[in-house]
C-alpha cells in the first residue's frame, strides 16, 4: 500500500511532526485533529522509546498501544494516526563499539517496523566508541550505517507483507544537521550555520552510491526527506528565527532533486509566519516537541495560580512546588543542561525553552499532582470570575468567552497546547 507521505516531495502540502510522548499533549492534538482530514504524525525518539524502554519505559509496541489508547479515548480514528521514529540509530548507544551499537540499532528498527511505524528518520551521524575521536565522522561511514539500518527495515517489511499483503510501505528520512533531541545548549547566535548546498549534495550523492553498492537502488524512492539545518534552533533563553534569505541557496537546490524535501528539526517557538515560510521553501516536515510541553507547563502553572486564590493551603495540589522538588530529587535530566547560579538554575527549571521538566511529567507523583490540580479547579470552576481567567490565561479567556473552549481545567490546559498546534496547522497550508 502506498504511503501518503510519499506525496510530500510533490510540494503540494507540508506536515507537522509532533515529537512527544506526553499523554495530555497527544490527547489535545487528537481532539483538535478531528477538525481536519489529514492524519496526525506522532513521533518518538530513540531515547524515549527503544527495546530497553527508553526514558518513557516504553518499547515501540508499547508506544503504539499507548498512542492508540489515547486516540480511542477521544474517538480519533486509528487510520488517521501516523507513527514515526525520530533519530533512530545508535543515538543512545554511542558509548558502545560499532558492532554492539549497530546490533542494538537494527533491533530497534525491527521493533519499530513491527509496531507499525511508517516514517523512520535514520540517524547514524554520531560517533561510536571505536570511531576516531579526533576526526570528523565521514559521509561514507554515516551513509553506510544508515543503509544497513534501512536494509533491516526492508527485511522486516517483507516479513510483514507475508502476513498482510496490504501492509503500507514505510518512508525514510536521512541526514542530521541538528543537535541531539531537545534543543541546543549553545546560546551563541553566530554559531548557527545553515547547511551548505555542498554538504546537502554530498549527503544525497553518498547515500545514493551506498544504495547502489548494496543493490537496493530501487528503495531510494522511499527516501522522502533529508534533515538539514535551515537556520532555526533554540536554547535555554534564545531562539534562532528562520530567515529565508539565509537559506535561499539551500532551498533552491531542492529543485535538482524532485523526489525529496527537507525535514526541519527544532522548529519550536518559531512564529507561525516563519513556519509558513519554511513550508513554502521546501522544509515540508516541521518537527516540534518541547514547545508543546512548554505550553502544557504554562497552562498548569496558570491553574496553580488560580488554585491559590480558592483552595485552602492544606488541600492544594501545589503542582509548581511539587515539580520543583521532584526535579531537585532527580536531577539527571536537567543538571547537565542548566548552568549559572543556583537562582539561574531555579528559573531555568521552570521557564527554560529547553523544557527539561517534560521528562518528569510521566512520574507518578507529578501525574498525581496534575490530577489533584484539575479536581481542585473543577470544584470551584463556577466561582472563577472572568477577570481572573483573563489575568492568568488571557488567550483561553477569549476562547471560553466565544464558546470555543469548555470552562474545565483539562480543557483550558489542552487549549494552551493547541495554540502551538494552530501555528503548525496554519504553516502547512501551502
Amino acid at each position: 500500500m502506498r504511503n501518503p507521505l510519499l506525496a510530500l516531495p510533490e510540494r503540494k502540502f507540508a506536515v507537522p511532526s509532533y515529537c512527544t510522548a506526553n499523554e495530555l499533549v497527544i490527547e489535545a492534538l487528537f481532539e483538535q485533529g478531528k477538525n481536519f482530514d489529514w492524519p496526525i504524525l506522532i513521533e518518538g525518539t530513540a531515547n524515549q522509546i527503544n527495546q530497553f524502554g527508553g526514558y518513557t519505559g516504553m518499547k515501540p509496541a508499547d508506544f503504539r498501544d499507548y498512542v492508540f489508547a489515547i486516540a480511542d479515548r477521544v474517538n480519533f480514528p486509528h487510520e488517521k494516526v501516523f507513527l514515526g521514529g525520530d533519530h533512530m540509530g545508535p543515538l543512545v548507544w554511542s558509548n558502545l563499539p560499532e558492532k554492539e551499537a549497530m546490533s542494538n540499532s537494527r533491533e530497534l528498527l525491527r521493533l519499530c517496523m513491527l509496531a507499525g511505524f511508517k516514517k523512520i528518520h535514520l540517524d547514524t551521524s554520531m560517533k561510536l566508541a571505536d570511531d576516531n575521536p579526533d576526526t570528523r565522522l565521514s559521509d561514507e561511514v554515516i551513509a553506510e550505517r544508515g543503509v544497513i539500518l534501512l536494509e533491516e527495515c526492508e527485511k522486516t517489511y517483507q516479513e510483514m507483507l507475508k502476513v498482510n499483503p496490504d501492509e503500507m510501505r514505510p518512508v525514510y528520512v536521512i541526514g542530521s544537521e541538528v543537535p541531539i533531541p531537545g534543543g541546543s545548549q549553545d546560546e551563541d547566535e553566530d554559531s548557527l550555520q545553515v547547511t551548505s548546498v555542498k554538504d546537502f549534495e554530498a549527503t544525497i550523492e553518498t547515500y545514493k552510491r551506498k544504495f547502489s553498492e548494496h543493490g537496493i537502488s530501487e528503495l531510494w524512492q522511499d527516501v522522502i526527506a533529508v534533515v538539514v539545518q535551515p537556520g532555526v534552533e533554540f536554547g535555554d533563553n534564545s531562539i534562532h528565527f528562520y530567515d529565508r534569505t539565509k537559506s535561499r541557496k539551500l532551498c533552491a537546490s531542492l529543485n535538482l532533486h524532485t523526489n525529496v524535501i527537507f525535514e526541519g528539526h527544532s522548529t519550536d517557538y518559531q512564529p507561525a509566519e516563519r513556519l509558513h515560510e519554511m513550508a513554502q521553501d521546501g522544509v515540508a516536515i516541521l518537527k516540534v516537541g518541547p514547545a508543546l510541553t512548554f505550553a502544557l507547563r504554562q497552562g498548569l502553572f496558570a491553574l496553580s495560580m488560580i488554585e491559590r486564590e480558592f483552595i485552602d493551603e492544606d488541600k492544594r495540589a501545589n503542582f509548581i512546588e511539587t515539580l520543583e522538588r521532584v526535579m531537585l530529587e532527580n536531577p539527571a535530566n536537567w543538571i547537565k543542561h542548566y548552568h549559572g547560579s543556583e537562582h539561574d538554575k531555579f528559573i531555568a527549571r521552570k521557564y527554560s525553552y529547553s523544557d527539561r521538566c517534560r521528562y518528569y511529567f510521566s512520574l507518578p507523583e507529578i501525574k498525581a499532582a496534575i490530577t489533584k490540580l484539575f479536581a481542585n479547579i473543577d470544584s470551584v470552576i463556577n466561582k472563577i470570575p472572568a477577570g481572573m481567567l483573563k489575568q492568568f490565561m488571557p488567550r483561553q479567556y477569549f476562547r471560553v468567552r466565544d464558546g470555543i473552549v469548555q470552562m474545565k481545567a483539562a480543557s483550558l490546559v489542552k487549549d494552551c497546547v493547541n495554540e502551538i498546534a494552530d501555528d503548525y496547522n496554519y504553516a502547512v497550508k501551502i
Side-chain angles (χ1 to χ4, degrees):
M1 181 184 296
R2 177 180 167 84
N3 192 316
L5 295 178
L6 283 168
L8 276 170
E10 297 174 9
R11 304 282 293 277
K12 293 180 180 178
F13 66 95
V15 63
S17 170
Y18 300 112
C19 193
T20 182
N22 185 278
E23 183 175 7
L24 280 167
V25 169
I26 296 172
E27 187 173 297
L29 294 171
F30 285 160
E31 287 178 345
Q32 188 195 62
K34 289 191 287 187
N35 299 321
F36 303 96
D37 292 331
W38 184 249
I40 289 182
L41 176 59
I42 304 290
E43 299 210 41
T45 60
N47 57 349
Q48 282 177 322
I49 52 170
N50 56 56
Q51 61 267 46
F52 303 109
Y55 73 75
T56 65
M58 289 186 280
K59 299 177 182 179
D62 298 326
F63 184 67
R64 174 202 62 205
D65 295 343
Y66 169 77
V67 171
F68 283 165
I70 298 172
D72 290 340
R73 190 162 64 238
V74 300
N75 296 315
F76 190 79
H78 286 200
E79 59 269 22
K80 291 178 66 177
V81 179
F82 259 54
L83 295 178
D86 190 29
H87 293 283
M88 289 295 161
L91 172 67
V92 294
W93 303 295
S94 59
N95 62 319
L96 299 177
E98 179 182 25
K99 182 177 180 180
E100 190 173 352
M102 288 297 290
S103 176
N104 285 344
S105 301
R106 287 195 299 273
E107 176 63 9
L108 171 59
L109 269 299
R110 187 182 74 85
L111 293 178
C112 285
M113 291 295 298
L114 292 174
F117 287 47
K118 296 304 180 186
K119 175 188 172 292
I120 303 291
H121 171 212
L122 299 168
D123 185 4
T124 52
S125 61
M126 61 292 299
K127 289 184 179 181
L128 305 180
D130 46 3
D131 289 324
N132 187 336
D134 300 321
T135 60
R136 174 185 177 275
L137 198 62
S138 70
D139 291 339
E140 289 280 328
V141 171
I142 292 172
E144 175 68 21
R145 291 171 179 172
V147 168
I148 288 172
L149 296 183
L150 188 144
E151 286 181 314
E152 184 68 31
C153 293
E154 180 64 16
K155 175 184 174 183
T156 308
Y157 174 70
Q158 292 300 324
E159 294 172 358
M160 295 169 72
L161 282 177
K162 296 175 183 178
V163 178
N164 177 19
D166 294 326
E167 186 72 40
M168 182 185 295
R169 287 195 63 83
V171 294
Y172 302 101
V173 176
I174 60 173
S176 181
E177 286 282 349
V178 293
I180 61 174
S184 173
Q185 297 182 48
D186 189 353
E187 299 289 335
D188 183 359
E189 292 280 338
D190 295 328
S191 68
L192 187 68
Q193 297 293 324
V194 172
T195 300
S196 69
V197 174
K198 179 181 178 182
D199 287 344
F200 166 59
E201 295 289 353
T203 296
I204 293 287
E205 188 277 329
T206 308
Y207 261 95
K208 278 188 171 182
R209 177 159 41 81
K210 288 296 179 181
F211 272 59
S212 177
E213 291 174 3
H214 283 251
I216 57 170
S217 294
E218 73 280 2
L219 297 183
W220 180 254
Q221 65 184 356
D222 295 326
V223 176
I224 62 166
V226 179
V227 174
V228 294
Q229 175 51 274
V232 300
E233 187 52 84
F234 60 90
D236 277 347
N237 194 39
S238 66
I239 302 170
H240 301 267
F241 294 107
Y242 182 64
D243 182 348
R244 68 194 323 180
T245 63
K246 294 181 179 179
S247 63
R248 185 169 290 143
K249 290 183 179 179
L250 173 65
C251 292
S253 67
L254 275 178
N255 295 326
L256 301 176
H257 304 279
T258 56
N259 64 315
V260 296
I261 41 87
F262 291 141
E263 175 168 288
H265 290 216
S266 298
T267 69
D268 307 69
Y269 311 110
Q270 295 289 316
E273 287 293 343
R274 301 291 179 94
L275 292 170
H276 186 56
E277 289 176 355
M278 291 174 69
Q280 289 178 316
D281 294 346
V283 188
I285 303 175
L286 299 169
K287 195 174 292 292
V288 56
L292 298 166
T293 41
F294 184 92
L296 176 70
R297 194 269 318 151
Q298 282 183 291
L300 292 168
F301 274 27
L303 289 189
S304 296
M305 299 297 182
I306 296 174
E307 181 188 46
R308 292 175 183 176
E309 302 289 353
F310 284 100
I311 305 298
D312 292 339
E313 186 173 356
D314 62 338
K315 296 180 181 179
R316 293 175 194 162
N318 292 317
F319 173 78
I320 297 174
E321 294 79 7
T322 302
L323 180 62
E324 170 68 1
R325 175 174 54 77
V326 170
M327 291 182 73
L328 287 173
E329 291 171 352
N330 305 275
N333 286 313
W334 63 264
I335 199 165
K336 294 181 181 179
H337 298 264
Y338 298 152
H339 309 288
S341 68
E342 289 305 311
H343 187 259
D344 290 336
K345 288 182 279 189
F346 169 78
I347 295 298
R349 284 191 293 272
K350 290 180 171 63
Y351 306 112
S352 167
Y353 286 137
S354 298
D355 191 52
R356 304 301 295 182
C357 66
R358 72 186 184 276
Y359 291 90
Y360 299 84
F361 278 16
S362 61
L363 297 180
E365 196 167 359
I366 300 303
K367 293 177 72 173
I370 293 173
T371 299
K372 186 174 182 179
L373 174 63
F374 285 176
N376 282 345
I377 293 299
D378 286 339
S379 72
V380 297
I381 203 75
N382 294 325
K383 298 179 182 179
I384 299 174
M388 182 182 292
L389 183 64
K390 192 168 191 241
Q391 172 69 40
F392 293 113
M393 307 184 84
R395 294 187 181 183
Q396 283 62 52
Y397 160 79
F398 289 109
R399 293 165 71 80
V400 169
R401 183 199 65 182
D402 296 340
I404 299 170
V405 174
Q406 186 180 6
M407 186 62 176
K408 188 176 180 181
S411 297
L412 292 168
V413 168
K414 286 186 286 187
D415 190 63
C416 295
V417 174
N418 281 332
E419 289 181 30
I420 308 301
D422 282 341
D423 288 344
Y424 283 85
N425 289 330
Y426 166 79
V428 301
K429 290 175 171 50
I430 61 174

